[in-house]
Amino acid sequence: RWLTCKSLPPGALESIADTIADRLRVPWFSGAVKINVSLVPPLVLLPVFLHVAALHFLLGLIILTSLPVVVLWYYYLTHRRKERTLFFLSLGLFSLGYMYYVFLREVVPRGHVEYSQVVALTCGLILMLAALSRAKKDPGYLPIPAGNEKPSHHGLPSKSVRGSSSGLHGISGAASSRAVNGAAKGVCRMSAEQPEGVKKDWCTKCQLVRPARAGHCRLCGRCVRRLDHHCVWINSCVGEQNHQAFILALSFFMLTSVYGITLTLHTICRGRTPFVALFYCPGAYSDYSSALSFTCVWYCAIVTAGMGYILLIQLLNISYNVTEREARLALRDNTGRRLLGGLVIDTGQYNRGLLCNWGHFLSLGSSPPQRSAEDIV
């Protein structure tokens, strides 16, 4: 009926897709292993698209322009449906592996890349994967009450316990009395976690009291300490425990990618600087090997530009001690200041100056968080 353009019953396509996803399994010794459907498209489509793009300049222009559009469309589609997907993690890891494979097979045999340069590129890739592995671990999930039982509210102040999953409304009373006095302690010694007037709040979904700056992730279904955002590229939240590793992985990726792009352009476009060769390389399509390498360089450049923008925003947010979640909420409530052309939103709550802000960030996760009476309740 679908092929003949006839009407389908409501939910028919979703049911077919779910059935196909359930039947997609790989034989294994202990039984068939179910494969997540979102892992498959990058493994199949990316090599096909890159090889087709290497056939002609116009094909490369069309494919490399449409790829970011398709990825963004899929991101907004899953984000609107609040769905978790392995598509972006699969795309990122397979892109790294496939670019490294093309580099070793098409670029290194030309003889213009030294052995030490290959080792340096490989070390950068390994360090990036190690940081990524650390970033995939616990971001700082708050413990769920045992037995999923709702904690009693008798230990909380009776003035106001407002159900909030966004962290905007707090519990007035005893929580604010523990705020550190900035005038007595000094600016840099003042706690960046609970300044004056910042209160804890109650999460109606996790049924627990959250400390300041913690937030509930809609995709993970958990509350995370100092929640920054849910990153689709690692399929996990970025919070107090893995924010440093996330920044480290982005930094290693940028350095490794730029270095690999430079080595490739020096090989296939000799005599030109990397920036000029990226836009003008007459011999790029003289043979298929050069065309494929040049296409992969442009693909890497597009991905690197996107990741560079993410890293820039992250570094600016750290410099002003604001998380992406806090910036988004400040924009929604019109309580923050736009700085640097709107690249960063300063909420004014936790900003203690550049050095203190970075000192606070570098100390994240250095010691286990202290549990207060409200946390236990």
Side-chain angles (χ1 to χ4, degrees), residues 36-320:
N36 194 309
V37 180
S38 59
L39 287 170
V40 179
L43 307 182
V44 177
L45 297 180
L46 182 62
V48 173
F49 283 159
L50 291 179
H51 280 274
V52 172
L55 295 175
H56 194 272
F57 169 75
L58 292 179
L59 286 174
L61 182 63
I62 294 173
I63 290 177
L64 292 176
T65 303
S66 60
L67 273 179
V69 176
V70 173
V71 171
L72 286 175
W73 169 80
Y74 186 72
Y75 167 74
Y76 285 115
L77 179 66
T78 55
H79 184 72
R80 186 173 66 250
R81 295 180 178 178
K82 301 178 184 179
E83 296 177 354
R84 296 192 67 179
T85 175
L86 293 175
F87 173 84
F88 300 97
L89 179 62
S90 174
L91 177 62
L93 293 177
F94 185 67
S95 296
L96 286 173
Y98 192 71
M99 295 304 105
Y100 186 68
Y101 166 76
V102 171
F103 178 79
L104 294 179
R105 181 172 179 177
E106 306 293 345
V107 179
V108 174
R110 294 172 178 262
H112 301 294
V113 179
E114 298 179 2
Y115 178 76
S116 59
Q117 294 174 323
V118 177
V119 171
L121 186 69
T122 305
C123 289
L125 185 62
I126 294 174
L127 290 174
M128 192 276 295
L129 291 176
L132 181 63
S133 175
R134 174 61 187 87
K136 282 282 296 173
K137 295 182 178 179
D138 181 15
Y141 291 122
L142 290 173
I144 298 178
N148 261 345
E149 297 178 357
K150 295 184 180 180
S152 173
H153 288 198
H154 297 298
L156 300 178
S158 58
K159 275 190 177 182
S160 63
V161 179
R162 301 181 181 179
S164 169
S165 62
S166 62
L168 294 179
H169 304 292
I171 300 173
S172 59
S176 61
S177 66
R178 293 196 313 275
V180 181
N181 189 342
K185 297 280 186 177
V187 176
C188 280
R189 294 173 59 189
M190 181 176 180
S191 171
E193 284 299 323
Q194 286 188 337
E196 190 74 32
V198 176
K199 308 175 184 64
K200 298 188 176 186
D201 68 334
W202 173 261
C203 178
T204 58
K205 296 181 180 179
C206 293
Q207 297 295 294
L208 51 80
V209 179
R210 299 186 303 211
R213 309 192 78 175
H216 184 87
C217 176
R218 302 179 303 171
L219 300 178
C220 295
R222 295 283 299 276
C223 283
V224 180
R225 291 185 180 274
R226 197 183 177 276
L227 175 63
D228 189 84
H229 69 288
H230 182 93
C231 180
V232 295
W233 295 105
I234 64 173
N235 194 35
S236 178
C237 288
V238 176
E240 182 179 85
Q241 298 296 320
N242 67 342
H243 202 169
Q244 295 175 352
F246 179 73
I247 296 297
L248 199 61
L250 280 176
S251 302
F252 279 128
F253 171 80
M254 291 296 298
L255 293 174
T256 305
S257 180
V258 171
Y259 187 57
I261 289 173
T262 302
L263 292 177
T264 305
L265 289 177
H266 275 313
T267 301
I268 62 177
C269 302
R270 298 189 61 79
R272 290 179 173 81
T273 61
F275 183 78
V276 174
L278 190 61
F279 295 95
Y280 181 71
C281 184
Y285 287 87
S286 58
D287 59 274
Y288 188 75
S289 176
S290 299
L292 180 60
S293 301
F294 189 71
T295 302
C296 291
V297 161
W298 258 106
Y299 175 73
C300 288
I302 294 173
V303 175
T304 303
M307 294 300 169
Y309 176 77
I310 295 175
L311 179 60
L312 174 63
I313 298 299
Q314 285 289 314
L315 295 179
L316 290 175
N317 285 345
I318 294 170
S319 300
Y320 285 88

